[in-house]
Amino acid sequence: MQQPADELQLYVVHQGSWTLQYSGGPVALPGGRFMARRSTGLTGFDASPQTAGATIVLPSGAVGGYPGDRPIIGSAVTPEVRLLLAHASLLHETFGELTDYGAEAARNALIELTRGVVHQYVDAGEPALAPALATAARELADQWLTHAELTPRLLARELHVSVRTLNRAFAHTGEPVAAYIRRRRLEEARRALTAGHTVSEVAARWQFADSSHFIRSFRQRYHQTPAQYARSRQRS
């Protein structure tokens, strides 16, 4: 499995582990870690059962200032890695629909974000990176929907950007950050009602101030009260 010597390979392991076989010996990469390394000497790899991860490959010359053949290993949940994976996911979903100009812009953003992982810095204020920033923020918010402290300010802090920068990124989506959090909480609350949880249980779990606040918010979005929705699901 000899690879071209001019590739930079970035491995991200979410769970499980990868063991990468190099001519100088194996390198084990456990879940929650990433490694950036030139492909020189790579002969194969093994994965433990139920391993989940991602690989990004770029020409080494595209990532300026990469430090020779020394691998860079770090946490897979840093803001830089979150942004890179979010952009790579968007690119995978939309590449076939991009114009030549759009594909070039997406490639440049991918290179910039990979450079950010290697050098631990991303200029998230760069307009081309706004979609990746919004996607990373949405993914992070989805993980924390039950947390009382989830706010746009918390998301901005975790992604190492200003609230203003985060708001600008969400402006491209047509839905403000706070509105996204509210909508996702209501969607999860509706699923919980379908599963048979009470209004008070749902309101508390999904961080509504009280049952009255939850009922008002639910009715505003779904045009019926939570109790009416639950009864309609029972009949169906």
Side-chain angles (χ1 to χ4, degrees):
M1 184 180 161
Q2 187 67 33
Q3 298 289 335
D6 62 348
E7 286 185 349
L8 172 65
Q9 299 177 329
L10 191 143
Y11 303 93
V12 182
V13 182
H14 303 301
Q15 66 181 38
S17 66
W18 278 340
T19 300
L20 301 159
Q21 305 290 344
Y22 290 91
S23 54
V27 176
L29 193 63
R33 306 291 286 176
F34 82 85
M35 180 178 70
R37 180 169 178 162
R38 289 185 185 274
S39 57
T40 306
L42 180 65
T43 59
F45 70 91
D46 297 310
S48 65
Q50 299 181 333
T51 293
T55 304
I56 295 174
V57 180
L58 289 170
S60 295
V63 183
Y66 183 74
D69 293 326
R70 179 177 63 83
I72 295 175
I73 298 176
S75 170
V77 295
T78 63
E80 295 83 7
V81 175
R82 289 183 185 276
L83 289 172
L84 174 61
L85 293 179
H87 179 71
S89 178
L90 283 172
L91 188 57
H92 176 74
E93 293 172 3
T94 62
F95 191 79
E97 304 168 12
L98 295 175
T99 63
D100 290 344
Y101 176 81
E104 182 179 0
R107 175 186 176 278
N108 291 340
L110 183 68
I111 291 172
E112 178 62 27
L113 288 165
T114 303
R115 187 179 292 125
V117 171
V118 170
H119 300 293
Q120 288 79 56
Y121 174 77
V122 172
D123 181 8
E126 167 61 41
L129 305 185
L133 176 56
T135 297
R138 286 194 295 265
E139 292 174 351
L140 197 55
D142 285 349
Q143 296 174 22
W144 291 350
L145 288 175
T146 60
H147 291 207
E149 297 179 359
L150 175 59
T151 62
R153 185 174 297 278
L154 175 64
L155 293 175
R157 185 170 70 241
E158 289 295 319
L159 293 170
H160 291 188
V161 299
S162 68
V163 174
R164 182 180 179 184
T165 296
L166 185 62
N167 285 332
R168 283 202 304 265
F170 269 76
H172 294 272
T173 72
E175 183 179 42
V177 188
Y180 176 81
I181 294 171
R182 183 168 57 251
R183 173 173 65 82
R184 288 291 296 117
R185 280 175 165 167
L186 284 168
E187 288 172 352
E188 293 302 322
R190 185 170 65 164
R191 291 190 180 93
L193 289 170
T194 302
H197 295 281
T198 67
V199 170
S200 59
E201 288 172 342
V202 172
R205 175 168 176 74
W206 300 106
Q207 299 304 319
F208 293 90
D210 52 39
S211 294
S212 296
H213 177 222
F214 172 53
I215 292 170
R216 288 195 303 272
S217 300
F218 192 95
R219 182 163 49 195
Q220 183 178 20
R221 179 163 185 82
Y222 296 114
H223 309 294
Q224 58 184 330
T225 67
Q228 289 169 337
Y229 173 78
R231 286 197 295 270
S232 70
R233 298 301 297 175
Q234 290 171 358
R235 289 195 297 269
S236 62

